[in-house]
Amino acid sequence: MFGKKTGIDSEKDLAGHSQAGDRSTINVQTIPADFYGGVNPVVKFKKVEKEIALGSKPKLTDSEKKIFDQSTAAGSGSILHPANIFTSKKYAWLVGSGLFIVILAGVGGYYYWQIKQQQTKIFSPPQPKISVTTSTESVPETVVATDQPVVSPTTTLPSLAEAPIEFPSSLLGDSPDLDKDNLTDATEELFGSDPSKSDTDEDTYNDGHEVFYLYNPVGKEPKKVIDSGYIKDYGNPLLGYKIFYPATWAVGNTDETYRDVLFSSITGENIEVRVFDKQPNQTFSDWFALYAPNERYQNLVDFQTRFGEKGKSRTDNLVYYFTDNNHVYVLVYHTTDSNTVNFRSVMVMIARSFRSAGFVPLENLTPPSQEANLPDEMPSAVVSSSLK
């Protein structure tokens, strides 16, 4: 009975031995106490600082690299930084719109200022009312300007009078005259006459002849040019002189004393009327030597207006002089950079219509029919003789 074990007993002993040996090496994991009783555990993460060796390029993850690039990019600290403005369509549009408005306002303001300056030069301010004594023909006999200074030999001349007179060249030619009626094609437009017909109204007097005698070149019956609607009569509000001028021209005084008035055409050419004080006992030749030292007195000829007032004219009909007891009136034609004159006959008309304040003009103009036998005073005759 002893000493021999059955196979079954041997297998039991081996199993028991094996189980006894396994208990010494088995790791048993149990549930942490924080989970018992349904308690949520507090999970704490350990902070780990990443150390980067100086002089070496850090190894960053993609997300870290993106954040690093954004924080170190130009303009990261300001929305209005140029880098953000020019890379953002929204900000670029806003800034561009603002600059456009500023530039537009600046340009508009500049041109508005230029227009106001031009209007100040061209258009004269409202003219004050002057009491005058008129004859039955409504022509002023005398006009007294009470604010005019009395100039004595020791009186200092105004600064405007001290400015030199700008005289035109005596070698200027005329612009085209298609019909050869002594009115250039540009002048024909001012009087409404036909530049292709020398006698627009077919009254046997050419257009230039009628304008020279201050008659309407398009009126078949004798009609004064002042009644044609193409010409106006200007009266200086302070100095009292009067002249005819084209209705389409601009008139402007350069100072408040009305001593310098410009009658300007659309081409830029203008006729200037300047008034100078004449000292007591001063002759015109003495005044001429003082104010026109570069002009030749020998080039002046006697001249008479259509109303009978006498004066002096330069032989090319571009400069005229009139005098009274206290003043010298100078009419000067100014051209542009061109070497041609468009409105020489207009200059003659203005000079022929001049009336100083104290001058009593003739009551009536002689009709052209009665002037046919008078010496030819046409501008072309005078100009041609001066250019020989």
Side-chain angles (χ1 to χ4, degrees), residues 170-174 315-316 344 380-388:
S170 59
L171 301 177
L172 298 174
D174 288 318
T315 53
D316 61 355
R344 194 188 302 265
S380 60
V382 179
V383 173
S384 61
S385 63
S386 67
L387 296 179
K388 290 181 180 178

Side-chain angles (χ1 to χ4, degrees), residues 111-342:
Y111 281 103
Y112 176 78
W113 180 80
Q114 289 289 335
I115 293 172
K116 294 297 290 184
Q117 290 293 106
Q118 189 68 17
Q119 289 177 344
T120 302
K121 293 181 180 180
I122 293 180
F123 299 103
S124 60
Q127 301 178 354
K129 295 182 179 179
I130 300 177
S131 299
V132 297
T133 303
T134 58
S135 64
T136 56
E137 294 295 327
S138 299
V139 179
E141 293 181 354
T142 58
V143 177
V144 179
T146 58
D147 59 342
Q148 292 299 309
V150 177
V151 180
S152 63
T154 59
T155 302
T156 303
L157 296 176
S159 59
L160 176 62
E162 293 175 354
I165 304 172
E166 296 183 8
F167 293 98
S169 170
S170 59
L171 301 177
L172 298 174
D174 288 318
S175 59
D177 177 11
L178 179 63
D179 54 10
K180 307 300 180 183
D181 60 355
N182 296 312
L183 295 181
T184 63
D185 297 344
T187 303
E188 301 262 14
E189 297 180 7
L190 300 178
F191 295 97
S193 52
D194 189 343
S196 63
K197 293 177 62 177
S198 61
D199 183 10
T200 300
D201 55 11
E202 299 179 350
D203 61 355
T204 71
Y205 301 102
N206 69 33
D207 298 340
H209 179 90
E210 294 193 74
V211 170
F212 181 78
Y213 288 103
L214 307 188
Y215 275 87
N216 182 11
V218 297
K220 291 189 176 182
E221 297 180 0
K223 188 176 182 181
K224 299 176 184 179
V225 70
I226 193 62
D227 298 325
S228 66
Y230 292 99
I231 299 299
K232 292 183 178 181
D233 193 4
Y234 169 82
N236 188 288
L238 296 183
L239 300 172
Y241 66 82
K242 287 179 173 289
I243 59 172
F244 293 171
Y245 73 98
T248 58
W249 283 21
V251 182
N253 57 295
T254 62
D255 68 336
E256 296 179 354
T257 64
Y258 286 83
R259 288 176 174 267
D260 190 6
V261 181
L262 297 179
F263 299 83
S264 304
S265 70
I266 194 172
T267 63
E269 297 165 270
N270 65 74
I271 296 173
E272 180 183 20
V273 181
R274 288 184 63 179
V275 182
F276 297 83
D277 290 326
K278 186 167 71 70
Q279 299 181 10
N281 301 323
Q282 184 183 37
T283 64
F284 173 72
S285 59
D286 292 338
W287 179 94
F288 186 87
L290 180 63
Y291 286 94
N294 297 325
E295 292 285 293
R296 297 183 61 185
Y297 190 82
Q298 293 78 3
N299 289 341
L300 302 182
V301 296
D302 292 334
F303 172 81
Q304 183 170 308
T305 70
R306 187 68 180 83
F307 299 96
E309 187 162 3
K310 295 181 179 180
K312 294 283 186 179
S313 168
R314 206 171 77 172
T315 53
D316 61 355
N317 297 309
L318 295 180
V319 183
Y320 290 86
Y321 304 91
F322 299 94
T323 62
D324 59 20
N325 293 332
N326 301 314
H327 305 100
V328 176
Y329 306 87
V330 186
L331 283 64
V332 185
Y333 191 102
H334 296 295
T335 64
T336 58
D337 294 334
S338 174
N339 292 324
T340 60
V341 176
N342 285 314

Side-chain angles (χ1 to χ4, degrees), residues 16-35:
H17 182 271
S18 176
Q19 290 176 356
D22 290 340
R23 289 192 184 95
S24 61
T25 57
I26 293 175
N27 292 324
V28 179
Q29 295 182 355
T30 61
I31 299 174
D34 292 338
F35 285 93

